[in-house]
Amino acid sequence: MEREDRTKEPIALTRVGCPAIFHLKLDRKSNKYVVANFVSFHNHNLIGPMGVPFLRSHRKVRSPDKASANTMHKVGIKTSHIMDFAAQQSGGYGKVGYTQKDLYNHFTAQRKIEVADGDAEGALAYLCAKVEYDPLFYYKYDVDEQNRLNNMFRRDSTSLTDYLCFGDVLLFDAIYRTNAYGKPFVILAGVNSHFQTAVFGCALLTAETVETYTWVLEKFLDSMGNEKMSVSVMTDGDKAMRRAIKTVLPNARHHLCKWHLKKNAVSNVHVPEFLCDFEKCMSMPTEEEFEIAWTNLVDNYNLHENNWAIEVYKKRHLWVEGYLRGLLLNFDIMRLRHK
């Protein structure tokens, strides 16, 4: 969270530890490949002959099959029916040479190729058309050195009205790369008088950096006419976000979102009862009461050497009610979390 170039950790691979190996190396003298290491022992059962055709290494959609499948797909035949037809032609599913999932993947790849050069233009054309029906609709984008779409921000007329009425508290939430393009999607939201989520704007970015977050905030304020500045901004604690907020909204008070704090508490302290006690510390009305409660919490759960507990205590002025009393925090942060 302290890094400005934060990236998501790769998912660990799950392996069974099978010692079987077949390793080749190139013999420079004879210019031939020779066996360098071979272990035939497996610590698991091997797949039977009936299952071999379904192994990924044995599956491939051949060019004639692709051409036939594309023809049927274009006239509206379902993928499952195309697979049934291929099985009948081959004499069974085990003799087709690929699975229905492979066929789905082929069609998905084809669609991506078809829209690869037109998806950005299509998005911009859609936003341009929105302006014709909604004169208050606002969108901005920029391009990189190769004239490719870089960052994009948008908000509609409802978002403008909501922000002018309920924009005192702003939630800056970056949903990390949950879209097909692998780009960070940022939502700028708040809460209305009925404790319902109000989206003020959203942006699709190329990276999570100070520059991109600054660009979003500048376009966001420009879309609102620079008439109103949020008093309080809530984030997940990302360092790049904090620097961008200080640059664009220097007078706004930065707070940590309680939803993220609770989520991190559960993932860093694996004790069921800890979350309840941690929530009590968060809601302590005075600084003195918090210090006492926090000391007891650290002692009870033996968190003196816990790195997360040490770091979150250093930032207590951003999330403890006693340190924030008197500020604009009469909102239920859990309802601000955009789902």
Side-chain angles (χ1 to χ4, degrees):
M1 299 301 293
E2 294 296 325
R3 294 178 55 186
E4 297 179 9
D5 57 341
R6 181 175 56 140
T7 57
K8 191 174 183 179
E9 293 293 333
I11 300 176
L13 296 176
T14 303
R15 302 183 182 275
V16 298
C18 180
I21 188 173
F22 183 64
H23 184 205
L24 299 176
K25 71 175 183 180
L26 179 63
D27 187 352
R28 299 293 181 181
K29 295 181 179 179
S30 62
N31 199 29
K32 295 182 179 180
Y33 284 97
V34 297
V35 178
N37 188 13
F38 176 65
V39 178
S40 60
F41 173 74
H42 293 270
N43 65 353
H44 56 88
N45 295 327
L46 299 181
I47 191 170
M50 297 295 294
V52 171
F54 300 100
L55 292 174
R56 184 166 59 178
S57 58
H58 290 65
R59 300 189 332 246
K60 183 179 180 180
V61 185
R62 298 171 299 174
S63 297
D65 297 328
K66 290 180 180 179
S68 177
N70 289 338
T71 301
M72 290 185 283
H73 187 68
K74 288 180 179 179
V75 297
I77 300 177
K78 294 182 179 179
T79 305
S80 58
H81 294 168
I82 297 175
M83 188 64 192
D84 293 339
F85 174 78
Q88 291 178 1
Q89 292 292 102
S90 304
Y93 289 96
K95 299 180 180 180
V96 174
Y98 53 88
T99 64
Q100 185 170 316
K101 180 63 176 178
D102 297 324
L103 209 54
Y104 275 112
N105 292 339
H106 166 67
F107 291 141
T108 300
Q110 285 294 110
R111 284 195 294 269
K112 288 185 177 181
I113 293 175
E114 292 173 359
V115 303
D117 298 326
D119 52 354
E121 289 81 0
L124 295 179
Y126 170 79
L127 295 177
C128 184
K130 291 284 290 184
V131 177
E132 298 181 5
Y133 295 96
D134 185 358
L136 296 178
F137 187 85
Y138 178 99
Y139 74 95
K140 289 290 182 180
Y141 67 94
D142 62 1
V143 296
D144 59 14
E145 295 79 4
Q146 300 179 10
N147 201 34
R148 296 178 302 183
L149 184 62
N150 206 28
N151 303 311
M152 183 169 61
F153 170 84
R154 57 156 289 179
R155 71 113 183 96
D156 55 23
S157 57
T158 303
S159 299
L160 173 62
T161 303
D162 288 340
Y163 178 74
L164 295 178
C165 295
F166 312 110
D168 293 320
V169 175
L170 177 66
L171 175 63
F172 201 141
D173 187 17
I175 302 176
Y176 191 84
R177 304 184 188 278
T178 57
N179 50 79
Y181 298 92
K183 294 180 179 292
F185 184 69
V186 174
I187 292 180
L188 301 165
V191 63
N192 61 22
S193 56
H194 299 284
F195 284 93
Q196 297 172 333
T197 300
V199 178
F200 301 145
C202 57
L204 195 64
L205 309 178
T206 55
E208 293 180 302
T209 63
V210 178
E211 291 74 20
T212 55
Y213 287 143
T214 301
W215 183 88
V216 171
L217 289 174
E218 288 177 347
K219 300 308 176 188
F220 172 70
L221 294 179
D222 181 66
S223 71
M224 302 301 178
N226 293 300
E227 296 181 2
K228 182 174 184 176
M229 299 291 179
S230 298
V231 178
S232 178
V233 182
M234 299 180 186
T235 72
D236 61 358
D238 181 71
K239 189 175 181 179
M241 281 187 188
R242 296 204 302 267
R243 291 186 57 184
I245 292 170
K246 289 182 180 180
T247 301
V248 183
L249 297 169
N251 297 324
R253 182 64 183 267
H254 176 228
H255 309 298
L256 296 181
C257 176
K258 289 186 177 180
W259 187 90
H260 287 98
L261 282 172
K262 293 176 183 179
K263 182 179 179 180
N264 292 333
V266 173
S267 60
N268 284 276
V269 182
H270 306 286
V271 181
E273 298 81 9
F274 175 76
L275 180 60
C276 181
D277 293 338
F278 179 67
E279 289 179 338
K280 292 179 181 179
C281 288
M282 298 174 70
S283 59
M284 286 297 167
T286 64
E287 298 179 18
E288 293 77 13
E289 290 179 289
F290 165 76
E291 295 296 339
I292 296 174
W294 183 260
T295 301
N296 294 333
L297 184 72
V298 172
D299 293 337
N300 293 339
Y301 293 95
N302 192 23
L303 301 177
H304 301 88
E305 304 297 329
N306 186 286
N307 293 328
W308 173 83
I310 295 173
E311 291 299 321
V312 78
Y313 176 75
K314 292 179 181 179
K315 302 174 183 177
R316 59 191 181 279
H317 60 284
L318 299 178
W319 56 272
V320 179
E321 184 175 339
Y323 287 91
L324 301 174
R325 183 167 291 278
L327 300 172
L328 186 61
L329 280 177
N330 297 321
F331 294 90
D332 185 358
I333 304 177
M334 290 298 292
R335 293 180 182 270
L336 278 172
R337 174 65 181 173
H338 181 73
K339 298 182 179 179

